[in-house]
Amino acid sequence: MLQNMSTAFIRTLREDPADAEVPSHKLLVRAGYIRRTAPGIYTWLPLGLRTLRKIETVVREEMDAMGGQEVHFPALLPADPYKATNRWAEYGPTLFTLNDRKGGDYLLAPTHEEMFTLLVKDMYSSYKDLPLCLYQIQTKYRDEARPRAGLIRGREFVMKDSYSFDMDDDALEVSYRKHRDTYQRIFTRLGLDHVIVNAMAGAMGGSHSEEFLFPSPIGEDTFVKSDAGYAANAEAVTTVVPEPRDASNEPPMRLVDTPNTPTIDSLVALLNERYPREDGRDWEAADTLKHLVFALIHPDGERELLVVGIPGDRDADMKRLEASVAPCEVEMATDKDFETHPELIRGYIGTSAIGPNSPLRTIDENGEAIGSVRYLVDPRVVEGTSWVTGGDESLKHAIHVVMGRDFQVDGTIEAAEVREGDPAPDGSGPLHLARGIEIGHIFALGRKYAESLGLTVLDENGKSRVVTMGSYGVGVSRVMAALAEANHDDNGLCWPINVAPFHVQVLATGKKDDVFTAAQELSVLLDSMGIEVLYDDRRKVSAGVKFADSELLGVPFTVVVGRDFECDGTVEIRDRRSGERTIVPFEEASETVRDLVKNALSEVANR
Ligand code: ATP
Ligand code: MG
């Protein structure tokens, strides 16, 4: 492969695009790999497409090696299968939906569980056909609420999705482990650092799942690790629940005046000044229970208010809350929400106006609690714990409010932030926090999809059995952004050789014809050796611009044919990553470069 720069469909930019905040987004646009078409939607330019294809090749080779068989589904799909599993509703506004000319409902698929399930149902009927693993590398559509960071969160993106089909749980576990191992090999071959963490199954349903995260400060996921090996997405961390407390010595609940206390800190200060604790210790933020009001939007569009009680020394974590209430969406309650619930005194919400404590609460004919706003608390709010809460009256708070004695709740919810040093749920010590980008996700789905779509096969005894499934995704286009995050410096990209769009860039600098003739000759020779060459043959472009472009593009090796060649017949070989420069006679250049490329390729192949 030999591409001349003078005719290449590449335009580099000196300035960062205005909407780009993270390095991968800036550099992929500036170096001419991708171009924005609409928010979260990108056009693949020749350089970008070459890199994407190479990432796909690594994924494809590993999927084939584990016995996966590749298929390819349309992105445009009929709605019925998604209605049958209820995901048509559960995906909510994230689903891109459309109508055909006859008014039929269609969607652009966000993921393909339904279609794979139906395909196997269509073609297979016996236990003898299983296990089976099918995969595709295909374009997905999600109308993300916050598309960001270029390829990292797109509304159109490339995913490798695979699906396993097995007779029983043990066999599913084997398929799951095989995928887990395959993903480790894929990310290792790509040289991408990764951490495997427990995850929430989310809208996908199913029993257990793990995520592969690329650790990065720009990641949207927070994950935790304990020194003894526990690792989880913060969304999936369950709070260690304290033992119930004996509150028999706790003073009675009491309403106190608390003017000018807009913050927890000011409230705590006022309490210590005016209402010191009987036991001699100071009031602390952790003694307070703040009541946050959220609106849940159910998949059917119903809006429900929810009060969440969180210890005052912690913030709410919206992602943990979202994961806890999925498939509902959640937002802060609005002024209008408060107008429809005058019993909620803003800033002073206590326990008496909400949940089971409210006089508005009744039970309907279906046995469901109605009337008052649902009230869920952090799992640390156990029987016998004592809190400072709002007083359900303006400018008042209640102190010594004891769970079980003075109030009841509708349940608990994981909505509070996880903090550095919190105990790991498995008892393996304090947790450390870091951020990461989710590059892969594996789910042991179980029978949810097979059941709702009727995927059964006959077992050895001729009895009909529901198939059990797994579903597994790699964000291929997101992986390209993660690789750019991991492989760049101030001057541009610097790709690992197995995903770089070219192996070598040959630069002809200066004005002399014989320099260009020699550079051309070298490029042709390298091409004939099977090396992918981008030859910067541009006349009237300064050496400075050529060097800058070459660093921006991030091709692993650069050969400069220029002034040295004219003086003493040598060329310079530069290693983009190490910055190392080697001078060799022109006659030796092709073989030296060939060896460098071959060594680099075999090094990554043996990782
Ligand atoms: P996220 O939590 O980041 O929204 P997800 O859990 O919804 O992702 P999955 O349904 O597990 O994503 O999809 C499988 C993989 O596809 C993810 O691990 C991720 O790498 C990739 N992916 C998901 N959403 C996007 C997106 N909007 N843009 C690019 N890649 C994505
Ligand atoms: Mg996921």
Side-chain angles (χ1 to χ4, degrees):
M1 168 75 196
L2 169 57
Q3 172 69 54
N4 286 345
M5 193 75 174
S6 60
T7 53
F9 195 59
I10 300 172
R11 282 290 173 276
T12 56
L13 307 173
R14 289 288 159 253
E15 299 296 324
D16 289 331
D19 62 334
E21 283 162 10
V22 305
S24 60
H25 185 190
K26 291 177 186 168
L27 291 171
L28 290 171
V29 172
R30 276 185 49 204
Y33 283 70
I34 56 170
R35 232 171 153 87
R36 182 181 178 277
T37 308
I41 305 180
Y42 289 85
T43 303
W44 294 90
L45 299 178
L47 287 174
L49 203 53
R50 287 183 65 84
T51 297
L52 182 72
R53 293 280 179 262
K54 290 191 176 184
I55 298 169
E56 288 179 7
T57 299
V58 171
V59 173
R60 188 171 276 120
E61 284 174 3
E62 292 299 334
M63 288 308 299
D64 291 343
M66 71 158 270
Q69 298 178 63
E70 188 171 1
V71 298
H72 198 87
F73 272 96
L76 177 62
L77 296 173
D80 283 343
Y82 289 77
K83 286 182 178 168
T85 58
N86 206 32
R87 284 212 294 185
W88 177 259
E90 282 179 4
Y91 249 102
T94 305
L95 200 64
F96 271 111
T97 60
L98 61 160
N99 291 114
D100 71 359
R101 63 170 75 206
K102 295 189 183 122
D105 285 333
Y106 282 79
L107 64 125
L108 295 174
T111 166
H112 279 74
E113 279 74 10
E114 285 80 352
M115 304 316 293
F116 276 83
T117 309
L118 289 171
L119 183 67
V120 175
K121 178 184 174 179
D122 196 14
M123 297 188 36
Y124 274 9
S125 57
S126 162
Y127 73 98
K128 290 182 198 147
D129 298 324
L130 303 184
L132 172 69
C133 170
L134 298 175
Y135 79 95
Q136 62 175 347
I137 298 178
Q138 196 256 7
T139 310
K140 299 282 185 273
Y141 297 86
R142 295 181 187 179
D143 196 359
E144 299 277 359
R146 293 172 290 274
R148 73 178 271 278
L151 299 180
I152 289 179
R153 184 169 298 282
R155 296 197 297 164
E156 176 184 290
F157 59 97
V158 181
M159 196 201 287
K160 184 288 298 175
D161 47 328
S162 43
Y163 305 84
S164 63
F165 300 85
D166 286 289
M167 287 301 286
D168 56 40
D169 293 349
D170 289 346
L172 166 58
E173 202 48 38
V174 172
S175 297
Y176 183 91
R177 297 302 302 190
K178 264 170 111 177
H179 268 91
R180 200 176 190 270
D181 295 346
T182 297
Y183 278 27
Q184 286 181 279
R185 267 200 301 280
I186 289 171
F187 297 129
T188 303
R189 272 184 66 181
L190 292 171
L192 206 50
D193 196 10
H194 58 275
V195 185
I196 304 176
V197 303
N198 293 332
M200 293 278 284
M204 203 71 88
S207 58
H208 62 287
S209 88
E210 288 169 296
E211 285 170 355
F212 288 70
L213 302 180
F214 162 65
S216 161
I218 64 137
E220 281 180 272
D221 285 277
T222 302
F223 68 97
V224 300
K225 276 175 96 166
S226 72
D227 291 333
Y230 173 85
N233 192 306
E235 287 174 16
V237 174
T238 47
T239 303
V240 176
V241 180
E243 289 295 312
R245 291 216 340 231
D246 172 14
S248 48
N249 292 330
E250 189 71 15
M253 178 171 130
R254 181 176 152 207
L255 264 190
V256 296
D257 290 317
T258 52
N260 304 322
T261 54
T263 62
I264 298 277
D265 285 349
S266 57
L267 172 65
V268 168
L270 179 134
L271 290 176
N272 280 323
E273 192 188 308
R274 291 205 198 165
Y275 313 102
R277 290 177 58 93
E278 289 83 344
D279 63 5
R281 82 160 167 86
D282 282 346
W283 292 105
E284 291 167 10
D287 295 317
T288 68
L289 186 62
K290 58 182 172 196
H291 286 139
L292 306 173
V293 190
F294 298 101
L296 296 188
I297 299 117
H298 289 260
D300 64 5
E302 188 209 336
R303 189 176 178 89
E304 183 205 359
L305 285 202
L306 173 69
V307 173
V308 176
I310 292 181
D313 61 333
R314 285 182 192 257
D315 285 332
D317 176 334
M318 286 308 279
K319 290 194 76 177
R320 274 170 57 74
L321 175 60
E322 276 164 17
S324 295
V325 301
C328 291
E329 304 229 324
V330 61
E331 59 188 37
M332 298 301 293
T334 60
D335 290 348
K336 215 166 136 221
D337 290 323
F338 279 97
E339 277 166 29
T340 56
H341 286 275
E343 78 275 17
L344 303 178
I345 314 292
R346 243 171 155 163
Y348 300 93
I349 299 170
T351 53
S352 69
I354 50 179
N357 317 299
S358 164
L360 300 173
R361 173 60 63 91
T362 53
I363 306 293
D364 73 4
E365 59 272 19
N366 303 323
E368 296 216 14
I370 55 165
S372 64
V373 175
R374 191 144 67 102
Y375 178 34
L376 301 177
V377 291
D378 183 82
R380 294 169 191 83
V381 182
V382 293
E383 202 78 9
T385 49
S386 175
W387 303 93
V388 175
T389 72
D392 285 321
E393 268 180 58
S394 235
L395 310 182
K396 287 190 195 303
H397 278 83
I399 59 175
H400 306 301
V401 188
V402 173
M403 167 70 177
R405 183 188 75 180
D406 302 317
F407 71 101
Q408 300 291 337
V409 298
D410 290 315
T412 60
I413 185 166
E414 296 288 358
E417 63 180 341
V418 178
R419 286 200 309 223
E420 186 77 26
D422 280 349
D426 67 350
S428 64
L431 295 174
H432 308 293
L433 267 64
R435 294 184 80 82
I437 298 172
E438 181 188 324
I439 47 178
H441 199 163
I442 52 179
F443 290 94
L445 277 180
R447 298 188 167 79
K448 173 178 158 168
Y449 291 88
E451 232 148 45
S452 50
L453 296 166
L455 170 58
T456 58
V457 293
L458 296 179
D459 69 11
E460 321 63 285
N461 305 316
K463 265 186 65 189
S464 171
R465 293 247 305 265
V466 178
V467 169
T468 182
M469 292 170 54
S471 132
Y472 317 88
V474 171
V476 178
S477 49
R478 185 184 279 182
V479 161
M480 179 160 148
L483 281 166
E485 290 294 333
N487 299 283
H488 73 272
D489 60 20
D490 290 346
N491 299 328
L493 297 159
C494 57
W495 297 110
I497 191 137
N498 54 347
V499 300
F502 294 93
H503 300 139
V504 181
Q505 235 187 330
V506 175
L507 306 190
T509 64
K511 296 203 175 75
K512 295 277 167 45
D513 281 342
D514 46 346
V515 163
F516 281 81
T517 310
Q520 164 84 23
E521 189 187 308
L522 175 63
S523 301
V524 170
L525 194 57
L526 287 170
D527 176 34
S528 74
M529 293 169 160
I531 288 167
E532 300 169 2
V533 188
L534 179 62
Y535 167 35
D536 199 341
D537 60 334
R538 292 176 294 177
R539 300 271 179 160
K540 295 188 183 140
V541 171
S542 74
V545 167
K546 288 187 178 180
F547 289 136
D549 276 347
S550 125
E551 297 213 299
L552 183 58
L553 261 51
V555 173
F557 299 104
T558 301
V559 187
V560 186
V561 187
R563 205 176 303 144
D564 290 351
F565 176 75
E566 290 171 53
C567 297
D568 57 12
T570 60
V571 300
E572 186 184 84
I573 302 167
R574 295 185 182 182
D575 181 318
R576 174 68 181 90
R577 185 176 298 268
S578 67
E580 203 179 309
R581 299 175 180 205
T582 326
I583 312 279
V584 297
F586 177 77
E587 294 71 32
E588 288 170 25
S590 60
E591 288 189 359
T592 310
V593 170
R594 182 196 57 195
D595 291 348
L596 284 170
V597 170
K598 294 267 147 77
N599 288 343
L601 281 170
S602 71
E603 200 174 294
V604 297
N606 294 328
R607 263 204 288 248

